[in-house]
Amino acid sequence: EVQLVESGGGLVQPGGSLRLSCAASGFAFSTYAMSWVRQAPGKGLEWVSTINNSGGSTNYADSVKGRFTISRDNVKDTLYLQMNSLKSEDTAVYYCVKYISITRGDTPQGQGTQVTVSS
């Protein structure tokens, strides 16, 4: 059974930082490109970032470029998102997903982790 368990969210002030983690199990993690997506209150899913299976290639939404860094550990089967210089508009539930699930329009499988940026 595929499991994706996100953690690391919380309440942070504008300008602060958080590091999200996603523990993967039930599939060959190292063979999949992985992504982070987010859903702000009352809005649809928004793609945030993607990393290829080896970790050698990354892409970011313009809204987070230069502030967020995606990475992965294929030994620990874990995906990360380092978020710096957080803004109120980054407030959302963050999900990790297989990149292929984005192209299929699938609903995220995990429970997500809430990030709230507020003073």
Side-chain angles (χ1 to χ4, degrees), residues 60-109:
Y60 299 91
D62 286 345
S63 58
V64 307
K65 199 172 294 182
R67 300 187 298 121
F68 290 10
T69 303
I70 191 172
S71 62
R72 65 190 297 160
D73 185 330
N74 285 345
V75 174
K76 296 182 178 179
D77 288 356
T78 302
L79 181 71
Y80 302 100
L81 187 68
Q82 177 67 43
M83 305 187 297
N84 299 328
S85 302
L86 283 160
K87 305 176 181 180
S88 58
E89 51 262 46
D90 295 318
T91 295
V93 178
Y94 284 71
Y95 301 91
C96 69
V97 298
K98 296 178 182 177
Y99 173 71
I100 193 171
S101 72
I102 298 176
T103 64
R104 295 190 303 222
D106 294 344
T107 300
Q109 292 180 276

Side-chain angles (χ1 to χ4, degrees), residues 6-26:
E6 301 93 344
S7 62
L11 173 64
V12 63
Q13 293 186 340
S17 298
L18 283 174
R19 188 193 196 202
L20 306 184
S21 299
C22 172
S25 61

Side-chain angles (χ1 to χ4, degrees), residues 37-76:
V37 298
R38 66 186 182 185
Q39 187 165 25
K43 297 187 177 180
L45 284 172
E46 177 190 15
W47 170 75
V48 174
S49 181
T50 295
I51 187 168
N52 73 341
N53 65 311
S54 68
S57 178
T58 58
N59 285 290
Y60 299 91
D62 286 345
S63 58
V64 307
K65 199 172 294 182
R67 300 187 298 121
F68 290 10
T69 303
I70 191 172
S71 62
R72 65 190 297 160
D73 185 330
N74 285 345
V75 174
K76 296 182 178 179

